[in-house]
Amino acid sequence: QSGKVALNFTPAKEDYQKVYNKIVEFVEDAGDYDDGSYGPVLVRLAWHSSGTYDKETKTGGSNYATMRFEPESTHGANAGLNVARDLMEKVKQEFPWISYGDLWTLGGVCAIQEMSGPKIPWRPGRIDGLAANATPDGRLPDATQGADHLRNIFYRMGFNDQEIVALSGAHALGRCHADRSGFEGPWTFSPTTLTNDYYKLLFDEKWVWKKWNGPKQLEDKKTRSLMMLPTDYVLITDKSYKKFARAYADNQDLFFKDFSAAVSRLFELGVPESQWVTSEPWEMKTKEEQEA
Ligand code: CCH
C-alpha cells in the first residue's frame, strides 16, 4: 500500500463501516491492557482532539487532527493518548484514504457504541491539517479546578450547563492513571460499559478526600475503590449542574439521548459546513447489529 489516496475513490458509508469494524477488532484485542479494552482511551482521544475548539476564533476542534504534532501531542492534558494514536495508526495503515480527524472521531463513536452506549450520529469530512494549525496549551479542562473553570472551558466550545453535565457522564468509562494525569482509579465498577452509574454514584456514595501524596481527588467511603475528580464533584455541589445530574441519575434513557446529541456535536467542532460529505449524519452499525 502506497499510503496515497487514490483520486478516483470516493469512500461511501459502507467503506467507513469497514473502518469501524476494524476498530472494533483492535478495541477488543486489548489483552491485559487496563480493564481489557482500548475503548475508554479511544473516547478520550476523540474528545481531546475535539475539545480544543474556540468558537470566537473558530480554531481548534477535530478538523485537522493537530494532536499528531508537537507541542500539542505533549501537552500535559494529552499524556497517555499516544496509546490511542498508535492504535489508530494501525487502522490508518489499512485504510490510508481516511483523514486522521475522521478516524479518531469514528474511533470514539465506535468505542461508545460497542461499550453499550447510544448511537452517536457521525459523518466524515475532516481533513488533515498542518502543525501550524495546532492549538495552544490550556484549552482542555483542568481537573483540579471548579464549576466556573468548567463553564469557561465548555462555554468557549459553545456548550451550556446541561451539555457539560451530559458530556461528563463519559467518566462512567475508563480510569485515571497516575503516570498520565497523576490521578488514580476508575469512576464506576463497570468501566467498559456506558451506564448512568457515574451520576448515581455521585449522589449515592459518600465522597471523602483521599489521603495520599497525589493530587486532590475523592474516594468513596464505603469501598475506597472508586474516585471522583474535583471537577466531577462540582456536578452535585453547583446548583445548576446538580439539577441535570439528578435527572441523569434518575433516567438512563434521558442521559443516553442527551449524551448522544452532545457528543455528536463535540466531535464536529471546528469543521466547516462545506466540508461535510453528507448533510445528515449517519448511524454506524454495531458489531452485534451486523451479526444479527
Ligand atoms: Fe475526562 N479525564 N475529563 N472526559 N476522560 C480523564 C479520563 C477520561 C477530565 C479529566 C480527566 C471529559 C471531561 C473531563 C474521558 C472522557 C471525557 C482523566 C484521567 C482526567 C484527569 C486521564 C488518565 O490519567 O488516564 C476533566 C477535568 C473533564 C472536564 O469536564 C469528557 C467531556 C469526556 C468525553 C466526552 C474518558 C473516557 C477517560 C478515561 C480514559 C482511559 O484511558 O481510561
Side-chain angles (χ1 to χ4, degrees), residues 198-223:
Y198 167 80
Y199 306 102
K200 285 190 186 161
L201 289 160
L202 271 170
F203 285 105
D204 295 348
E205 297 308 316
K206 185 159 169 50
W207 295 95
V208 295
W209 293 108
K210 182 181 172 78
K211 292 198 180 69
W212 73 325
N213 287 327
K216 270 182 85 167
Q217 67 175 66
L218 297 123
E219 62 183 10
D220 70 303
K221 201 174 175 203
K222 209 189 301 162
T223 73

PDB file of all heavy atoms in Angstrom, residues 198-223:
ATOM      1  N   TYR A 198     -22.255   6.763  36.869  1.00  0.00           N
ATOM      2  CA  TYR A 198     -21.422   7.902  37.311  1.00  0.00           C
ATOM      3  C   TYR A 198     -22.268   8.893  38.123  1.00  0.00           C
ATOM      4  O   TYR A 198     -21.863   9.308  39.214  1.00  0.00           O
ATOM      5  CB  TYR A 198     -20.828   8.538  36.059  1.00  0.00           C
ATOM      6  CG  TYR A 198     -20.179   9.893  36.199  1.00  0.00           C
ATOM      7  CD1 TYR A 198     -18.885  10.037  36.690  1.00  0.00           C
ATOM      8  CD2 TYR A 198     -20.863  11.049  35.782  1.00  0.00           C
ATOM      9  CE1 TYR A 198     -18.282  11.283  36.763  1.00  0.00           C
ATOM     10  CE2 TYR A 198     -20.255  12.292  35.843  1.00  0.00           C
ATOM     11  CZ  TYR A 198     -18.973  12.410  36.334  1.00  0.00           C
ATOM     12  OH  TYR A 198     -18.382  13.649  36.397  1.00  0.00           O
ATOM     13  N   TYR A 199     -23.454   9.238  37.617  1.00  0.00           N
ATOM     14  CA  TYR A 199     -24.320  10.181  38.332  1.00  0.00           C
ATOM     15  C   TYR A 199     -24.906   9.547  39.587  1.00  0.00           C
ATOM     16  O   TYR A 199     -24.980  10.176  40.634  1.00  0.00           O
ATOM     17  CB  TYR A 199     -25.470  10.659  37.424  1.00  0.00           C
ATOM     18  CG  TYR A 199     -25.000  11.221  36.107  1.00  0.00           C
ATOM     19  CD1 TYR A 199     -25.067  10.463  34.936  1.00  0.00           C
ATOM     20  CD2 TYR A 199     -24.479  12.514  36.022  1.00  0.00           C
ATOM     21  CE1 TYR A 199     -24.646  10.971  33.725  1.00  0.00           C
ATOM     22  CE2 TYR A 199     -24.047  13.033  34.811  1.00  0.00           C
ATOM     23  CZ  TYR A 199     -24.131  12.251  33.657  1.00  0.00           C
ATOM     24  OH  TYR A 199     -23.695  12.749  32.456  1.00  0.00           O
ATOM     25  N   LYS A 200     -25.323   8.286  39.467  1.00  0.00           N
ATOM     26  CA  LYS A 200     -25.900   7.610  40.634  1.00  0.00           C
ATOM     27  C   LYS A 200     -24.897   7.559  41.774  1.00  0.00           C
ATOM     28  O   LYS A 200     -25.224   7.827  42.929  1.00  0.00           O
ATOM     29  CB  LYS A 200     -26.291   6.169  40.260  1.00  0.00           C
ATOM     30  CG  LYS A 200     -27.539   6.048  39.419  1.00  0.00           C
ATOM     31  CD  LYS A 200     -27.906   4.573  39.355  1.00  0.00           C
ATOM     32  CE  LYS A 200     -29.046   4.302  38.426  1.00  0.00           C
ATOM     33  NZ  LYS A 200     -29.116   2.894  38.033  1.00  0.00           N
ATOM     34  N   LEU A 201     -23.664   7.195  41.435  1.00  0.00           N
ATOM     35  CA  LEU A 201     -22.630   7.078  42.457  1.00  0.00           C
ATOM     36  C   LEU A 201     -22.325   8.433  43.094  1.00  0.00           C
ATOM     37  O   LEU A 201     -22.108   8.531  44.303  1.00  0.00           O
ATOM     38  CB  LEU A 201     -21.353   6.474  41.859  1.00  0.00           C
ATOM     39  CG  LEU A 201     -21.454   4.985  41.502  1.00  0.00           C
ATOM     40  CD1 LEU A 201     -20.384   4.582  40.494  1.00  0.00           C
ATOM     41  CD2 LEU A 201     -21.339   4.123  42.766  1.00  0.00           C
ATOM     42  N   LEU A 202     -22.324   9.493  42.271  1.00  0.00           N
ATOM     43  CA  LEU A 202     -22.079  10.833  42.821  1.00  0.00           C
ATOM     44  C   LEU A 202     -23.075  11.143  43.940  1.00  0.00           C
ATOM     45  O   LEU A 202     -22.701  11.666  44.988  1.00  0.00           O
ATOM     46  CB  LEU A 202     -22.201  11.891  41.716  1.00  0.00           C
ATOM     47  CG  LEU A 202     -20.943  12.243  40.925  1.00  0.00           C
ATOM     48  CD1 LEU A 202     -21.286  13.114  39.720  1.00  0.00           C
ATOM     49  CD2 LEU A 202     -19.906  12.961  41.799  1.00  0.00           C
ATOM     50  N   PHE A 203     -24.350  10.774  43.711  1.00  0.00           N
ATOM     51  CA  PHE A 203     -25.379  11.060  44.719  1.00  0.00           C
ATOM     52  C   PHE A 203     -25.417  10.028  45.841  1.00  0.00           C
ATOM     53  O   PHE A 203     -25.626  10.374  46.998  1.00  0.00           O
ATOM     54  CB  PHE A 203     -26.765  11.132  44.057  1.00  0.00           C
ATOM     55  CG  PHE A 203     -27.007  12.378  43.279  1.00  0.00           C
ATOM     56  CD1 PHE A 203     -26.986  12.371  41.890  1.00  0.00           C
ATOM     57  CD2 PHE A 203     -27.258  13.589  43.928  1.00  0.00           C
ATOM     58  CE1 PHE A 203     -27.209  13.538  41.160  1.00  0.00           C
ATOM     59  CE2 PHE A 203     -27.488  14.759  43.208  1.00  0.00           C
ATOM     60  CZ  PHE A 203     -27.456  14.736  41.817  1.00  0.00           C
ATOM     61  N   ASP A 204     -25.222   8.761  45.493  1.00  0.00           N
ATOM     62  CA  ASP A 204     -25.497   7.702  46.471  1.00  0.00           C
ATOM     63  C   ASP A 204     -24.335   7.392  47.416  1.00  0.00           C
ATOM     64  O   ASP A 204     -24.554   6.882  48.519  1.00  0.00           O
ATOM     65  CB  ASP A 204     -25.903   6.412  45.751  1.00  0.00           C
ATOM     66  CG  ASP A 204     -27.215   6.570  45.003  1.00  0.00           C
ATOM     67  OD1 ASP A 204     -27.895   7.597  45.247  1.00  0.00           O
ATOM     68  OD2 ASP A 204     -27.552   5.688  44.187  1.00  0.00           O
ATOM     69  N   GLU A 205     -23.118   7.647  46.974  1.00  0.00           N
ATOM     70  CA  GLU A 205     -21.978   7.330  47.838  1.00  0.00           C
ATOM     71  C   GLU A 205     -21.555   8.546  48.644  1.00  0.00           C
ATOM     72  O   GLU A 205     -21.825   9.682  48.258  1.00  0.00           O
ATOM     73  CB  GLU A 205     -20.788   6.831  46.995  1.00  0.00           C
ATOM     74  CG  GLU A 205     -21.052   5.544  46.253  1.00  0.00           C
ATOM     75  CD  GLU A 205     -21.571   4.426  47.147  1.00  0.00           C
ATOM     76  OE1 GLU A 205     -21.017   4.257  48.263  1.00  0.00           O
ATOM     77  OE2 GLU A 205     -22.534   3.744  46.754  1.00  0.00           O
ATOM     78  N   LYS A 206     -20.856   8.275  49.729  1.00  0.00           N
ATOM     79  CA  LYS A 206     -20.270   9.372  50.494  1.00  0.00           C
ATOM     80  C   LYS A 206     -18.842   9.546  50.000  1.00  0.00           C
ATOM     81  O   LYS A 206     -18.051   8.605  50.001  1.00  0.00           O
ATOM     82  CB  LYS A 206     -20.297   9.051  51.992  1.00  0.00           C
ATOM     83  CG  LYS A 206     -19.810  10.195  52.827  1.00  0.00           C
ATOM     84  CD  LYS A 206     -20.282  10.116  54.277  1.00  0.00           C
ATOM     85  CE  LYS A 206     -19.545  11.136  55.159  1.00  0.00           C
ATOM     86  NZ  LYS A 206     -19.535  12.501  54.616  1.00  0.00           N
ATOM     87  N   TRP A 207     -18.526  10.746  49.546  1.00  0.00           N
ATOM     88  CA  TRP A 207     -17.218  11.014  48.930  1.00  0.00           C
ATOM     89  C   TRP A 207     -16.322  11.783  49.896  1.00  0.00           C
ATOM     90  O   TRP A 207     -16.732  12.808  50.433  1.00  0.00           O
ATOM     91  CB  TRP A 207     -17.397  11.793  47.623  1.00  0.00           C
ATOM     92  CG  TRP A 207     -18.135  10.957  46.620  1.00  0.00           C
ATOM     93  CD1 TRP A 207     -19.476  10.969  46.374  1.00  0.00           C
ATOM     94  CD2 TRP A 207     -17.577   9.939  45.788  1.00  0.00           C
ATOM     95  NE1 TRP A 207     -19.790  10.015  45.424  1.00  0.00           N
ATOM     96  CE2 TRP A 207     -18.633   9.373  45.046  1.00  0.00           C
ATOM     97  CE3 TRP A 207     -16.276   9.444  45.591  1.00  0.00           C
ATOM     98  CZ2 TRP A 207     -18.445   8.338  44.127  1.00  0.00           C
ATOM     99  CZ3 TRP A 207     -16.080   8.414  44.675  1.00  0.00           C
ATOM    100  CH2 TRP A 207     -17.163   7.870  43.952  1.00  0.00           C
ATOM    101  N   VAL A 208     -15.133  11.226  50.113  1.00  0.00           N
ATOM    102  CA  VAL A 208     -14.184  11.849  51.050  1.00  0.00           C
ATOM    103  C   VAL A 208     -12.848  12.064  50.335  1.00  0.00           C
ATOM    104  O   VAL A 208     -12.510  11.347  49.386  1.00  0.00           O
ATOM    105  CB  VAL A 208     -13.976  10.966  52.300  1.00  0.00           C
ATOM    106  CG1 VAL A 208     -15.272  10.865  53.097  1.00  0.00           C
ATOM    107  CG2 VAL A 208     -13.470   9.571  51.932  1.00  0.00           C
ATOM    108  N   TRP A 209     -12.089  13.033  50.813  1.00  0.00           N
ATOM    109  CA  TRP A 209     -10.783  13.296  50.177  1.00  0.00           C
ATOM    110  C   TRP A 209      -9.850  12.121  50.442  1.00  0.00           C
ATOM    111  O   TRP A 209      -9.757  11.630  51.562  1.00  0.00           O
ATOM    112  CB  TRP A 209     -10.167  14.597  50.705  1.00  0.00           C
ATOM    113  CG  TRP A 209     -10.957  15.802  50.283  1.00  0.00           C
ATOM    114  CD1 TRP A 209     -11.750  16.584  51.075  1.00  0.00           C
ATOM    115  CD2 TRP A 209     -11.062  16.329  48.952  1.00  0.00           C
ATOM    116  NE1 TRP A 209     -12.337  17.575  50.326  1.00  0.00           N
ATOM    117  CE2 TRP A 209     -11.934  17.447  49.019  1.00  0.00           C
ATOM    118  CE3 TRP A 209     -10.516  15.989  47.716  1.00  0.00           C
ATOM    119  CZ2 TRP A 209     -12.273  18.205  47.893  1.00  0.00           C
ATOM    120  CZ3 TRP A 209     -10.841  16.745  46.587  1.00  0.00           C
ATOM    121  CH2 TRP A 209     -11.713  17.840  46.686  1.00  0.00           C
ATOM    122  N   LYS A 210      -9.186  11.682  49.401  1.00  0.00           N
ATOM    123  CA  LYS A 210      -8.245  10.575  49.521  1.00  0.00           C
ATOM    124  C   LYS A 210      -6.972  11.073  50.208  1.00  0.00           C
ATOM    125  O   LYS A 210      -6.470  12.140  49.882  1.00  0.00           O
ATOM    126  CB  LYS A 210      -7.923  10.052  48.110  1.00  0.00           C
ATOM    127  CG  LYS A 210      -6.986   8.863  48.015  1.00  0.00           C
ATOM    128  CD  LYS A 210      -6.773   8.512  46.534  1.00  0.00           C
ATOM    129  CE  LYS A 210      -5.702   7.472  46.298  1.00  0.00           C
ATOM    130  NZ  LYS A 210      -6.168   6.102  46.582  1.00  0.00           N
ATOM    131  N   LYS A 211      -6.497  10.289  51.153  1.00  0.00           N
ATOM    132  CA  LYS A 211      -5.257  10.655  51.849  1.00  0.00           C
ATOM    133  C   LYS A 211      -4.096   9.996  51.128  1.00  0.00           C
ATOM    134  O   LYS A 211      -3.890   8.782  51.218  1.00  0.00           O
ATOM    135  CB  LYS A 211      -5.309  10.189  53.307  1.00  0.00           C
ATOM    136  CG  LYS A 211      -6.342  10.939  54.123  1.00  0.00           C
ATOM    137  CD  LYS A 211      -6.104  10.790  55.624  1.00  0.00           C
ATOM    138  CE  LYS A 211      -7.148  11.540  56.439  1.00  0.00           C
ATOM    139  NZ  LYS A 211      -8.502  10.909  56.330  1.00  0.00           N
ATOM    140  N   TRP A 212      -3.379  10.787  50.373  1.00  0.00           N
ATOM    141  CA  TRP A 212      -2.226  10.247  49.644  1.00  0.00           C
ATOM    142  C   TRP A 212      -1.352  11.400  49.167  1.00  0.00           C
ATOM    143  O   TRP A 212      -1.698  12.566  49.359  1.00  0.00           O
ATOM    144  CB  TRP A 212      -2.691   9.368  48.463  1.00  0.00           C
ATOM    145  CG  TRP A 212      -3.281  10.104  47.272  1.00  0.00           C
ATOM    146  CD1 TRP A 212      -4.039  11.240  47.283  1.00  0.00           C
ATOM    147  CD2 TRP A 212      -3.125   9.727  45.906  1.00  0.00           C
ATOM    148  NE1 TRP A 212      -4.392  11.580  45.991  1.00  0.00           N
ATOM    149  CE2 TRP A 212      -3.839  10.685  45.125  1.00  0.00           C
ATOM    150  CE3 TRP A 212      -2.465   8.683  45.231  1.00  0.00           C
ATOM    151  CZ2 TRP A 212      -3.897  10.619  43.729  1.00  0.00           C
ATOM    152  CZ3 TRP A 212      -2.538   8.623  43.850  1.00  0.00           C
ATOM    153  CH2 TRP A 212      -3.240   9.578  43.115  1.00  0.00           C
ATOM    154  N   ASN A 213      -0.239  11.054  48.551  1.00  0.00           N
ATOM    155  CA  ASN A 213       0.699  12.077  48.086  1.00  0.00           C
ATOM    156  C   ASN A 213       0.319  12.674  46.754  1.00  0.00           C
ATOM    157  O   ASN A 213       0.943  13.626  46.312  1.00  0.00           O
ATOM    158  CB  ASN A 213       2.112  11.479  47.955  1.00  0.00           C
ATOM    159  CG  ASN A 213       2.732  11.253  49.314  1.00  0.00           C
ATOM    160  OD1 ASN A 213       2.465  12.012  50.249  1.00  0.00           O
ATOM    161  ND2 ASN A 213       3.530  10.213  49.454  1.00  0.00           N
ATOM    162  N   GLY A 214      -0.684  12.094  46.084  1.00  0.00           N
ATOM    163  CA  GLY A 214      -1.068  12.552  44.748  1.00  0.00           C
ATOM    164  C   GLY A 214      -1.926  13.796  44.805  1.00  0.00           C
ATOM    165  O   GLY A 214      -2.175  14.360  45.872  1.00  0.00           O
ATOM    166  N   PRO A 215      -2.416  14.227  43.637  1.00  0.00           N
ATOM    167  CA  PRO A 215      -3.291  15.406  43.570  1.00  0.00           C
ATOM    168  C   PRO A 215      -4.618  15.156  44.290  1.00  0.00           C
ATOM    169  O   PRO A 215      -5.037  14.004  44.459  1.00  0.00           O
ATOM    170  CB  PRO A 215      -3.503  15.603  42.068  1.00  0.00           C
ATOM    171  CG  PRO A 215      -3.190  14.286  41.442  1.00  0.00           C
ATOM    172  CD  PRO A 215      -2.170  13.627  42.313  1.00  0.00           C
ATOM    173  N   LYS A 216      -5.291  16.234  44.695  1.00  0.00           N
ATOM    174  CA  LYS A 216      -6.547  16.123  45.442  1.00  0.00           C
ATOM    175  C   LYS A 216      -7.598  15.382  44.623  1.00  0.00           C
ATOM    176  O   LYS A 216      -7.968  15.833  43.530  1.00  0.00           O
ATOM    177  CB  LYS A 216      -7.079  17.523  45.775  1.00  0.00           C
ATOM    178  CG  LYS A 216      -6.579  18.060  47.106  1.00  0.00           C
ATOM    179  CD  LYS A 216      -7.168  19.421  47.406  1.00  0.00           C
ATOM    180  CE  LYS A 216      -8.532  19.296  48.079  1.00  0.00           C
ATOM    181  NZ  LYS A 216      -8.996  20.579  48.668  1.00  0.00           N
ATOM    182  N   GLN A 217      -8.072  14.254  45.126  1.00  0.00           N
ATOM    183  CA  GLN A 217      -9.174  13.535  44.490  1.00  0.00           C
ATOM    184  C   GLN A 217     -10.019  12.912  45.582  1.00  0.00           C
ATOM    185  O   GLN A 217      -9.576  12.754  46.723  1.00  0.00           O
ATOM    186  CB  GLN A 217      -8.650  12.461  43.521  1.00  0.00           C
ATOM    187  CG  GLN A 217      -7.913  11.291  44.165  1.00  0.00           C
ATOM    188  CD  GLN A 217      -7.543  10.213  43.137  1.00  0.00           C
ATOM    189  OE1 GLN A 217      -6.737  10.439  42.244  1.00  0.00           O
ATOM    190  NE2 GLN A 217      -8.124   9.024  43.286  1.00  0.00           N
ATOM    191  N   LEU A 218     -11.263  12.565  45.228  1.00  0.00           N
ATOM    192  CA  LEU A 218     -12.156  11.973  46.227  1.00  0.00           C
ATOM    193  C   LEU A 218     -12.229  10.470  46.060  1.00  0.00           C
ATOM    194  O   LEU A 218     -11.988   9.950  44.952  1.00  0.00           O
ATOM    195  CB  LEU A 218     -13.548  12.595  46.090  1.00  0.00           C
ATOM    196  CG  LEU A 218     -13.554  14.103  46.361  1.00  0.00           C
ATOM    197  CD1 LEU A 218     -14.108  14.871  45.172  1.00  0.00           C
ATOM    198  CD2 LEU A 218     -14.330  14.430  47.619  1.00  0.00           C
ATOM    199  N   GLU A 219     -12.563   9.783  47.151  1.00  0.00           N
ATOM    200  CA  GLU A 219     -12.801   8.340  47.049  1.00  0.00           C
ATOM    201  C   GLU A 219     -14.096   8.012  47.772  1.00  0.00           C
ATOM    202  O   GLU A 219     -14.540   8.758  48.647  1.00  0.00           O
ATOM    203  CB  GLU A 219     -11.628   7.544  47.634  1.00  0.00           C
ATOM    204  CG  GLU A 219     -11.375   7.780  49.096  1.00  0.00           C
ATOM    205  CD  GLU A 219     -10.149   7.035  49.623  1.00  0.00           C
ATOM    206  OE1 GLU A 219      -9.386   6.474  48.815  1.00  0.00           O
ATOM    207  OE2 GLU A 219      -9.967   7.012  50.852  1.00  0.00           O
ATOM    208  N   ASP A 220     -14.737   6.902  47.378  1.00  0.00           N
ATOM    209  CA  ASP A 220     -15.976   6.537  48.037  1.00  0.00           C
ATOM    210  C   ASP A 220     -15.644   5.915  49.381  1.00  0.00           C
ATOM    211  O   ASP A 220     -14.768   5.060  49.492  1.00  0.00           O
ATOM    212  CB  ASP A 220     -16.803   5.590  47.167  1.00  0.00           C
ATOM    213  CG  ASP A 220     -16.177   4.218  47.053  1.00  0.00           C
ATOM    214  OD1 ASP A 220     -15.013   4.137  46.619  1.00  0.00           O
ATOM    215  OD2 ASP A 220     -16.828   3.224  47.426  1.00  0.00           O
ATOM    216  N   LYS A 221     -16.351   6.381  50.412  1.00  0.00           N
ATOM    217  CA  LYS A 221     -16.004   5.996  51.779  1.00  0.00           C
ATOM    218  C   LYS A 221     -16.185   4.494  51.998  1.00  0.00           C
ATOM    219  O   LYS A 221     -15.436   3.859  52.730  1.00  0.00           O
ATOM    220  CB  LYS A 221     -16.880   6.782  52.757  1.00  0.00           C
ATOM    221  CG  LYS A 221     -16.291   6.845  54.150  1.00  0.00           C
ATOM    222  CD  LYS A 221     -17.092   7.735  55.076  1.00  0.00           C
ATOM    223  CE  LYS A 221     -16.501   7.633  56.485  1.00  0.00           C
ATOM    224  NZ  LYS A 221     -17.478   7.994  57.504  1.00  0.00           N
ATOM    225  N   LYS A 222     -17.189   3.925  51.303  1.00  0.00           N
ATOM    226  CA  LYS A 222     -17.532   2.522  51.539  1.00  0.00           C
ATOM    227  C   LYS A 222     -16.449   1.565  51.051  1.00  0.00           C
ATOM    228  O   LYS A 222     -15.930   0.761  51.819  1.00  0.00           O
ATOM    229  CB  LYS A 222     -18.864   2.205  50.839  1.00  0.00           C
ATOM    230  CG  LYS A 222     -19.652   1.113  51.520  1.00  0.00           C
ATOM    231  CD  LYS A 222     -20.870   0.646  50.706  1.00  0.00           C
ATOM    232  CE  LYS A 222     -21.864   1.753  50.396  1.00  0.00           C
ATOM    233  NZ  LYS A 222     -22.783   1.400  49.295  1.00  0.00           N
ATOM    234  N   THR A 223     -16.081   1.642  49.788  1.00  0.00           N
ATOM    235  CA  THR A 223     -15.131   0.649  49.256  1.00  0.00           C
ATOM    236  C   THR A 223     -13.732   1.237  49.004  1.00  0.00           C
ATOM    237  O   THR A 223     -12.771   0.494  48.829  1.00  0.00           O
ATOM    238  CB  THR A 223     -15.627   0.061  47.912  1.00  0.00           C
ATOM    239  OG1 THR A 223     -15.491   1.036  46.878  1.00  0.00           O
ATOM    240  CG2 THR A 223     -17.079  -0.383  48.005  1.00  0.00           C
TER     241      THR A 223
END
